[in-house]
Amino acid sequence: MVNALTPTTTERAAPSTRSSSPAVDGRARSRRRQAVVAYLFLAPTLLFFAVFLILPLGFALLLSMSRWAGFDLGGIQPVGTDNFAGLFADGSTFLAPILTNTLLFALGTVVLALAGSVVVATCIDNLRFQGLWRTLYFLPIVTTVVAVGNVWKYMYEPGGLVNGVLNALGLGSMAFLQDPDTALPSVVVVQAWASVGSAVLILTAGLKSIPESYYEAAALDGAGPLTVFWKITLPLLRPSLLLVCITQFISGLQSFALITVMTKGGPGDATNVAALEMYRQAFSYGRWGPASAAAFVLFVVVLVVTLAQLWIFRRKEEDA
Amino acid sequence: MIRRRFPWLSYLVVVTGAVLTVVPFLDMVMTSFKGAGEAGTLPYHFLPKAFDLSNYRAAIDQLDLPVLFRNSVVATAVITGSVLFTSSLAGYALAKLRFPGRNLIFRLVLSTMMFPPFLFFIPHFLILVHWPLAGGNDLFGRGGAGLTVSIAALAMPFLVNGFGIFLMRQFMVSIPDEVLEAARIDGAGEFAVWWRIVVPQTRPVLLTLGLLTFVQAWNEYIWALLISTANPDVMTLPVGIQFLQDYVDPTRTMPIVMAGLVLSILPVLILFLLLQKYYIRGVMLSGLK
């Protein structure tokens, strides 16, 4: 360490009679003091992680393998893997439609948001006032899910904006959120609408890193704009596209606030997703065990995607 | 310059997209002015008959808006303050101090980002229920409702943020050691070095992290809903507005709900518009949301 080598630090340390070298002794002392200070600085963080990270993880794991109702800690009964088996048993709604809905919701969001943001980001890149456009596209992201959900829910109603537009075009009204067939796609559209802004942001940064000389070379060769987009822009944008894909997919797998606001999982289980099912089992029915088991199953799904992301990006770095 | 060959097509796409993004917000504002029987009825009209502020007055009265506002402000301020303080201190220790266990703790901080928030709703709630010596609980956390009925419960699970620590640490690594050393030679303790040199040098990052945390905390819904169910006195803005929407006749209250939403969005919107450079950098850095 630099500080231990400076003369002043050594001078400040009290001279030791036992040590043969006062410099070495001072260095050790300063290092000890720094360790004490470091742990003092980290104390709130470590305390928090102990109480709100490690303890809850252990507790949740215990609950996922227990039968327990109510709040009396003495009533927790270990049941092994029964809760997990129950989730995948015949007649359970967890695998289908709930987990299937979760995947469809995440996948649909990614596809829509990605398609929208690629087109928008490519076009913004051609324009002036890029900051202004980005700001507009960003509005949904800083807005609470309660606002986004309620506004869209209201717009989907028979007297709302969407049906108003359909009627103006001479089309019939649709019961977007009440019809089991259209409910899930309808909330997917809202989730995608709300996440286009951040995807545009990441993609615009990716576009900026493509050297202008590639485009100039393509222009010299007489390539058309579509060829340029397919042969230059898209391939060179791949890392950003991948980042958008995976982060949106992960957040799609676990988000349920929007669904809670818009449909509460209904009609029936048409828009029920795994995280919402966990929440309801726990806080509506007090079935902590099955709820925690559902949480861990979803966690494994998210973890697999996260690890795939790490693996893909690490391989990318090695290739580079 | 081939990229600039079709500006009109680009304008068309970008403007269409921007309209699609902004229209729901405009619909919200317009609905907030609509009178009884004017919203949610056929045929649909975008513009209200008159720009009447009565829904805003109704929102303030019916929603108990000042109380909701206070609860939201308290929770958001505590969370943001705590995240900034702990991230900066821990980040400094991990970036600039040498001590045994440093790599292990840094790895722990990184690994916290792997755990999705939904995993913690149940255990966090149960831990707060059984918090010792709070809300009628005995030393072993039995007998009462614990911390779930306290306003502190709104903030507690969000007081420290692994990403925040990581962000601060990454920026502090680049502060030259000589500067810190010079201060130590002048007799400054580590706390003074942190407060007088490191904090001022990292002000832009603190602003970014503060904004991200503020917006997230202000908009938080699921956890606040849970705590508000245990104690309605600590309801935050999003929860209170959703409560009105859920339990009162929706067609009649929709304009009032929209008025409440407009008021609840305004603080974040103003902050975002003023400081968007910092916020956008934060989203880029987290690559998450």
Side-chain angles (χ1 to χ4, degrees):
Chain A
M1 276 300 282
V2 188
N3 66 342
L5 297 174
T6 55
T8 329
T9 321
T10 327
E11 274 168 28
R12 265 198 284 131
S16 161
T17 44
R18 269 174 298 172
S19 173
S20 55
S21 156
V24 170
D25 193 50
R27 192 182 307 169
R29 194 177 286 243
S30 142
R31 190 168 288 175
R32 237 190 342 265
R33 206 181 51 212
Q34 204 167 72
V36 171
V37 170
Y39 275 99
L40 216 61
F41 282 12
L42 285 164
T45 297
L46 293 176
L47 195 69
F48 178 89
F49 283 152
V51 178
F52 286 99
L53 187 87
I54 295 167
L55 178 66
L57 280 177
F59 195 27
L61 203 62
L62 171 79
L63 282 180
S64 72
M65 292 189 274
S66 309
R67 181 181 303 124
W68 186 38
F71 291 101
D72 178 19
L73 287 171
I76 301 181
Q77 293 168 357
V79 292
T81 56
D82 280 9
N83 291 324
F84 291 94
L87 289 176
F88 297 104
D90 283 344
S92 160
T93 51
F94 185 72
L95 204 55
I98 295 171
L99 209 53
T100 326
N101 283 346
T102 312
L103 291 171
L104 286 175
F105 180 78
L107 209 63
T109 310
V110 169
V111 170
L112 281 184
L114 198 67
S117 57
V118 167
V119 173
V120 168
T122 323
C123 290
I124 284 187
D125 203 38
N126 290 343
L127 302 181
R128 284 191 293 169
F129 310 118
Q130 298 187 2
L132 171 79
W133 298 117
R134 271 208 315 249
T135 308
L136 284 180
Y137 281 98
F138 223 74
L139 287 179
I141 293 164
V142 293
T143 311
T144 166
V145 67
V146 172
V148 169
N150 277 309
V151 170
W152 276 89
K153 188 176 163 186
Y154 173 63
M155 291 195 338
Y156 276 140
E157 273 174 16
L161 174 65
V162 180
N163 275 316
V165 170
L166 286 181
N167 294 342
L169 294 171
L171 299 165
S173 297
M174 287 177 71
F176 289 97
L177 297 176
Q178 288 78 30
D179 183 339
D181 293 331
T182 52
L184 191 62
S186 301
V187 288
V188 163
V189 166
V190 182
Q191 175 88 0
W193 172 84
S195 33
V196 162
S198 58
V200 165
L201 201 66
I202 294 169
L203 294 181
T204 330
L207 286 170
K208 292 247 176 297
S209 67
I210 302 177
E212 191 73 25
S213 56
Y214 286 27
Y215 292 100
E216 284 158 12
L220 284 179
D221 288 344
L226 270 183
T227 321
V228 170
F229 181 75
W230 281 114
K231 300 272 175 178
I232 296 178
T233 309
L234 266 193
L236 288 172
L237 204 55
R238 234 178 50 191
S240 315
L241 288 173
L242 205 64
L243 181 70
V244 170
C245 254
I246 293 176
T247 50
Q248 304 269 14
F249 191 69
I250 291 175
S251 75
L253 284 174
Q254 40 176 302
S255 79
F256 64 108
L258 183 73
I259 294 178
T260 310
V261 170
M262 290 187 73
T263 63
K264 304 207 173 357
D269 270 333
T271 55
N272 199 1
V273 289
L276 177 59
E277 176 69 6
M278 168 211 86
Y279 188 87
R280 286 211 300 209
Q281 288 288 340
F283 299 110
S284 302
Y285 310 121
R287 301 179 62 208
W288 307 112
S292 301
F296 272 103
V297 171
L298 182 59
F299 174 54
V300 168
V301 176
V302 173
L303 197 64
V304 167
V305 181
T306 312
L307 291 177
Q309 172 195 22
L310 288 176
W311 182 72
I312 291 170
F313 278 100
R314 189 159 299 165
R315 253 183 41 150
K316 276 243 142 48
E317 274 162 28
E318 280 164 11
D319 288 350
Chain B
M1 289 299 109
I2 182 135
R3 298 167 98 169
R4 323 240 181 281
R5 246 179 34 190
F6 289 97
W8 59 271
L9 185 64
S10 298
Y11 266 111
L12 189 71
V13 170
V14 172
V15 169
T16 310
V19 167
L20 288 176
T21 309
V22 174
V23 155
F25 289 99
L26 292 180
D27 195 44
M28 172 167 76
V29 175
M30 293 305 159
T31 308
S32 75
F33 292 114
K34 287 179 181 170
E38 209 188 328
T41 49
L42 292 165
Y44 171 80
H45 289 291
F46 183 66
L47 291 171
K49 289 199 182 93
F51 286 89
D52 186 6
L53 284 173
S54 64
N55 291 323
Y56 285 86
R57 265 191 297 275
I60 292 169
D61 295 342
Q62 288 193 24
L63 281 169
D64 227 348
L65 215 57
V67 175
L68 300 183
F69 203 81
R70 188 204 64 199
N71 291 338
S72 275
V73 167
V74 168
T76 306
V78 169
I79 291 170
T80 310
S82 167
V83 165
L84 289 179
F85 180 73
T86 54
S87 299
S88 181
L89 266 187
Y92 174 59
L94 291 172
K96 287 298 174 191
L97 299 178
R98 181 155 290 198
F99 57 94
R102 184 169 82 164
N103 281 336
L104 190 76
I105 294 177
F106 185 52
R107 257 185 234 149
L108 172 78
V109 169
L110 286 181
S111 70
T112 62
M113 291 191 272
M114 298 264 287
F115 296 104
F118 68 82
L119 205 54
F120 295 98
F121 283 124
I122 297 170
H124 277 170
F125 186 77
L126 293 172
I127 285 170
L128 291 186
V129 169
H130 294 287
W131 200 270
L133 301 176
N137 277 351
D138 62 13
L139 188 61
F140 302 101
R142 291 175 307 196
L147 278 182
T148 51
V149 289
S150 143
I151 192 167
L154 286 177
M156 283 191 81
F158 309 104
L159 292 177
V160 175
N161 183 324
F163 169 71
I165 297 171
F166 173 71
L167 187 69
M168 294 314 299
R169 186 235 172 226
Q170 297 307 85
F171 274 82
M172 287 170 175
V173 163
S174 62
I175 297 176
D177 282 321
E178 290 75 16
V179 180
L180 308 178
E181 200 42 50
R184 288 186 190 119
I185 290 167
D186 288 345
E190 289 300 333
F191 192 81
V193 170
W194 169 75
W195 178 246
R196 283 203 232 117
I197 296 170
V198 177
V199 169
Q201 288 229 14
T202 49
R203 200 169 281 158
V205 199
L206 282 171
L207 197 55
T208 296
L209 179 62
L211 266 176
L212 276 182
T213 314
F214 181 95
V215 172
Q216 224 164 50
W218 185 266
N219 291 340
E220 213 291 322
Y221 175 59
I222 297 290
W223 178 256
L225 172 69
L226 208 54
I227 297 305
S228 305
T229 317
N231 177 12
D233 290 341
V234 301
M235 249 186 214
T236 59
L237 277 168
V239 181
I241 294 170
Q242 185 60 39
F243 192 78
L244 180 73
Q245 212 280 315
D246 281 346
Y247 294 101
V248 193
D249 172 29
T251 47
R252 194 170 54 82
T253 52
M254 201 43 111
I256 302 173
V257 168
M258 294 297 170
L261 287 176
V262 171
L263 292 177
S264 80
I265 290 175
L266 274 181
V268 194
L269 201 64
I270 292 169
L271 213 59
F272 166 68
L273 291 177
L274 288 177
L275 300 166
Q276 54 169 310
K277 188 180 89 188
Y278 296 96
Y279 187 84
I280 282 178
R281 194 177 57 178
V283 175
M284 292 297 298
L285 286 168
S286 69
L288 267 170
K289 291 194 75 185

